[in-house]
Amino acid sequence: VRTPQFPLLWTTVFGNAIGGLALISSSKMVMVDIWGAAMPSVVTASFATGYVATLGSANAFGRLSWAIGSDYIGRRGAYSAFAVGMPVMAATPYLISTAMGNAAMGEESVVPLGVFVGGSVLAIVNYGGIFSVLPAYIADLWGPKYSNSIHGAALTAWSASAVAGPMGLAYLRSRAERAAIDELVDGVTPEAFEAAFGASVESKQSLLESKTLTISRLLEISPENTPDPTPHLYDDTFYVAAGFLGVAAVSNMLLRPPDIDRLLEEQK
């Protein structure tokens, strides 16, 4: 654990896990809030439920398939392959904008939705592989003798991501929602605002805290053709998740087996 390689391994596990956990914890909200607004005739409640169930199956499939696949491409190669989720996460805001643009023109192409669903399923398959490949990866790096203790320490990365992922998602979404509400309020006349909410614009903070002031209600009194910001509330979340996956990929590239004999000799 005191070797320079352990922080790199910890960062690799944390970065890969936090992206998957952020997607799993918000999967139904993302499908309903984003794609439901962009493609309401396709993304129904049953579609969203089926999507969540598919992600659960993808997680289980990833644990099995990557455990087998890593025997052929190597544990290091498997962790390098997990980085394919990065472009999927980074491209999601673009896919959302494309779907919204198609909807605005009266078209409803399922291609952006299909790419997102396929990419997110692949990302969760990779997330499932993180932990099935990890014990063997540790044994490859440090040897079987030290793998148990190092594996226990490395799992703290998953624990940290389980806390930081959902909390970070909630913070980023809340910040994006607040920014969207502020922008919508700026586009509404004071008279219309007071007529709708029974209070002046100066009472915005208290209305937010009571959840009276919402995006949907502001859109009702906004000028015609005001775009709905709801589908873009998760843009920052996807960018941050892609960033963590990128950091994990770099950490994995830097990982090399430590010289255990030399380190033990130095400690004597």
Side-chain angles (χ1 to χ4, degrees), residues 143-262:
K145 181 178 179 180
Y146 304 98
S147 60
N148 287 339
S149 59
I150 294 173
H151 182 251
L155 286 180
T156 60
W158 179 83
S159 301
S161 66
V163 175
M167 287 182 61
L169 170 69
Y171 169 75
L172 291 171
R173 188 192 185 284
S174 176
R175 188 181 70 170
E177 184 178 26
R178 177 61 186 268
I181 287 176
D182 287 342
E183 186 174 349
L184 289 174
V185 169
D186 291 340
V188 174
T189 63
E191 294 78 13
F193 186 94
E194 187 166 354
F197 298 102
S200 64
V201 176
E202 286 72 22
S203 304
K204 180 174 64 175
Q205 184 58 40
S206 60
L207 292 172
L208 278 170
E209 292 173 355
S210 64
K211 301 189 182 301
T212 303
L213 184 60
T214 62
I215 290 176
S216 58
R217 290 199 63 188
L218 281 169
L219 285 172
E220 294 173 0
I221 59 173
S222 294
E224 191 176 355
N225 297 324
T226 298
D228 183 358
T230 303
H232 296 286
L233 294 181
Y234 294 93
D235 284 6
D236 289 346
T237 299
F238 287 113
Y239 288 137
V240 170
F244 274 112
L245 288 172
V247 170
V250 172
S251 297
N252 182 61
M253 289 173 58
L254 296 175
L255 263 175
R256 295 291 185 276
D259 189 341
I260 299 295
D261 294 335
R262 181 181 63 80

Side-chain angles (χ1 to χ4, degrees), residues 57-216:
S57 300
N59 186 13
F61 176 74
R63 292 176 184 270
L64 176 62
S65 61
W66 277 115
I68 298 172
S70 65
D71 289 338
Y72 296 94
I73 66 174
R75 262 57 80 166
R76 182 185 175 85
Y79 266 78
S80 297
F82 295 160
V84 299
M86 180 170 55
V88 174
M89 295 288 188
T92 296
Y94 170 76
L95 294 173
I96 295 166
S97 296
T98 301
M100 294 296 292
N102 291 338
M105 293 186 294
E107 302 174 1
E108 204 169 67
S109 172
V110 297
V111 173
L113 175 62
V115 173
F116 169 76
V117 171
S120 58
V121 168
L122 177 61
I124 299 305
V125 168
N126 292 343
Y127 171 76
I130 295 170
F131 304 103
S132 62
V133 176
L134 182 60
Y137 195 16
I138 292 172
D140 289 348
L141 291 168
W142 281 272
K145 181 178 179 180
Y146 304 98
S147 60
N148 287 339
S149 59
I150 294 173
H151 182 251
L155 286 180
T156 60
W158 179 83
S159 301
S161 66
V163 175
M167 287 182 61
L169 170 69
Y171 169 75
L172 291 171
R173 188 192 185 284
S174 176
R175 188 181 70 170
E177 184 178 26
R178 177 61 186 268
I181 287 176
D182 287 342
E183 186 174 349
L184 289 174
V185 169
D186 291 340
V188 174
T189 63
E191 294 78 13
F193 186 94
E194 187 166 354
F197 298 102
S200 64
V201 176
E202 286 72 22
S203 304
K204 180 174 64 175
Q205 184 58 40
S206 60
L207 292 172
L208 278 170
E209 292 173 355
S210 64
K211 301 189 182 301
T212 303
L213 184 60
T214 62
I215 290 176
S216 58

Side-chain angles (χ1 to χ4, degrees), residues 13-104:
V13 175
F14 178 82
N16 280 306
I18 199 168
L21 281 169
L23 185 57
I24 289 173
S25 64
S26 64
S27 56
K28 190 164 188 177
M29 289 189 297
V30 168
M31 186 55 66
V32 173
D33 289 352
I34 295 178
W35 296 102
M39 307 179 68
S41 64
V42 176
V43 182
T44 60
S46 59
F47 184 96
T49 301
Y51 170 69
V52 175
T54 301
L55 292 186
S57 300
N59 186 13
F61 176 74
R63 292 176 184 270
L64 176 62
S65 61
W66 277 115
I68 298 172
S70 65
D71 289 338
Y72 296 94
I73 66 174
R75 262 57 80 166
R76 182 185 175 85
Y79 266 78
S80 297
F82 295 160
V84 299
M86 180 170 55
V88 174
M89 295 288 188
T92 296
Y94 170 76
L95 294 173
I96 295 166
S97 296
T98 301
M100 294 296 292
N102 291 338

